[in-house]
Amino acid sequence: MAFSGEKSKASIIFDNVTHHYPGNRKRGKTEAIAEFSLEIQEGSFVCLLGPSGCGKSTLLNMAAGFEHPSSGRILVGDKEVTGPGPDRGVVFQEANLLPWRKVIDNITLGPDFAGKPRAQTLAAAMHFIALTGLTGFEHHAPYELSGGMRQRVALARAWITEPSILLMDEPFGALDAQTRLSMQELLVSIWMQTRATVLFVTHDVDEAIFLADRIIIMTPRPGRIRQDITVPFPRPRDYEDLIIHPEYAALKRSTLYAVRHAEYES
Ligand SMILES: Nc1ncnc2c1ncn2[C@@H]1O[C@H](COP(=O)(O)OP(=O)(O)OP(=O)(O)O)[C@@H](O)[C@H]1O
Ligand SMILES: [Mg+2]
């Protein structure tokens, strides 16, 4: 599988989704998500923002197929999600690399498991190694990398299967501010080439405004949509220019306000 750069695209639809985590004798059940409906257009970049515990990861895990809705359904393209699949790449806050596999073999994990021809897989891996700035580190072990480099490997690993959907749960949350910014730029530059549909969870309002076409702000648990904000800035965006754009401060203020005051006004 050489990297084609052309891939299938798909929308994500949450159709009246509710999710309860079951209780037991000692604790009650948790209603994490209530009657959540959202349509994410194919090829768009959507950020989910909301207070801790409002159900962002639960939504992402349901779209990934790791969790199942208690009621309602999730569609990717026209297919209902019933479990994980190679059409959806997932990146978490931790890179979750296999410590015994070197960088290149962590990146080729998906195609290797799928039994793809090794020569083609390696060609695709080299493409993403170059794209993510990991050239020269192909044969390093994960423990020999910095946190930012480990996340680059996780990004390359998610991207090598050319997923139509990329699900990201605070992928840069553990990185320092400078590294985070360069990872955001890297993510957008790859996304502009591939135009996968991205659902990206973050706590960081600046990150959401820099990355997203649309920001969905959730209420506290059970998570519902509190606000649906369109980010008006054209692409490509330059971070330094963006933060002095006349509309930036007002958008940041209203977004921050909606996140912080969700509890009082929902
Ligand atoms: N495996 C689980 N079993 C039981 N309850 C869970 C489980 N996972 C999450 N929860 C509960 O569901 C609610 C939503 O959790 P979730 O992890 O989706 O929130 P979140 O918005 O991602 O929070 P954060 O911003 O802190 O990551 C929380 O109250 C949490 O305690
Ligand atoms: Mg979470």
Side-chain angles (χ1 to χ4, degrees):
M1 50 165 282
F3 174 68
S4 68
E6 286 176 21
K7 36 194 285 316
S8 58
K9 298 206 166 82
S11 57
I12 311 173
I13 297 174
F14 294 89
D15 178 14
N16 205 20
V17 171
T18 295
H19 185 88
H20 307 289
Y21 289 103
N24 57 26
R25 269 189 307 123
K26 296 204 171 142
R27 54 161 219 215
K29 70 175 184 179
T30 305
E31 189 183 17
I33 298 291
E35 294 143 10
F36 186 95
S37 291
L38 174 67
E39 182 165 352
I40 299 175
Q41 261 190 327
E42 64 175 44
S44 64
F45 199 127
V46 172
C47 281
L48 270 184
L49 272 176
S52 181
C54 74
K56 302 180 294 297
S57 297
T58 303
L59 278 176
L60 208 87
N61 288 335
M62 286 192 287
F66 303 142
E67 290 281 348
H68 299 287
S70 309
S71 65
R73 44 186 207 145
I74 298 168
L75 301 171
V76 164
D78 51 7
K79 278 201 282 193
E80 185 166 351
V81 172
T82 53
D87 57 330
R88 280 153 291 145
V90 186
V91 183
F92 297 103
Q93 186 165 359
E94 300 296 327
N96 296 322
L97 304 182
L98 296 178
W100 59 89
R101 286 178 79 121
K102 50 193 185 177
V103 163
I104 188 151
D105 296 329
N106 265 286
I107 293 172
T108 60
L109 208 58
D112 288 350
F113 275 134
K116 303 272 183 194
R118 183 72 179 161
Q120 286 175 28
T121 299
L122 284 178
M126 292 313 289
H127 173 84
F128 282 102
I129 282 171
L131 217 54
T132 52
L134 288 167
T135 304
F137 292 89
E138 300 86 337
H139 300 285
H140 282 56
Y143 76 88
E144 296 172 303
L145 305 179
S146 69
M149 290 165 87
R150 282 198 282 268
Q151 269 320 56
R152 286 167 196 261
V153 178
L155 210 55
R157 181 183 56 191
W159 233 300
I160 196 172
T161 59
E162 297 188 47
S164 46
I165 309 280
L166 198 61
L167 302 166
M168 309 186 82
D169 196 350
E170 301 188 51
F172 310 142
L175 304 176
D176 67 86
Q178 280 8 292
T179 308
R180 179 188 296 205
L181 192 51
S182 62
M183 291 298 289
Q184 291 164 359
E185 288 168 342
L186 173 66
L187 173 62
V188 171
S189 75
I190 303 178
W191 173 75
M192 299 224 357
Q193 293 173 43
T194 62
R195 288 286 177 165
T197 310
V198 181
L199 181 56
F200 186 107
V201 171
T202 179
H203 280 111
D204 181 338
V205 171
D206 290 301
E207 180 169 71
I209 297 175
F210 179 62
L211 294 176
D213 297 319
R214 191 175 163 200
I215 300 173
I216 304 294
I217 300 177
M218 293 173 65
T219 66
R221 191 186 62 239
R224 294 188 168 91
I225 295 178
R226 163 153 162 69
Q227 212 167 328
D228 183 345
I229 297 171
T230 300
V231 180
F233 306 116
R235 299 181 190 271
R237 295 175 187 162
D238 177 273
Y239 192 76
E240 284 82 2
D241 290 343
L242 189 67
I243 58 174
I244 56 162
H245 191 286
E247 288 174 45
Y248 185 87
L251 181 62
K252 180 171 177 179
R253 186 193 177 281
S254 60
T255 306
L256 202 53
Y257 186 89
V259 175
R260 289 182 2 102
H261 296 265
E263 289 164 57
Y264 315 116
E265 292 196 356
S266 58

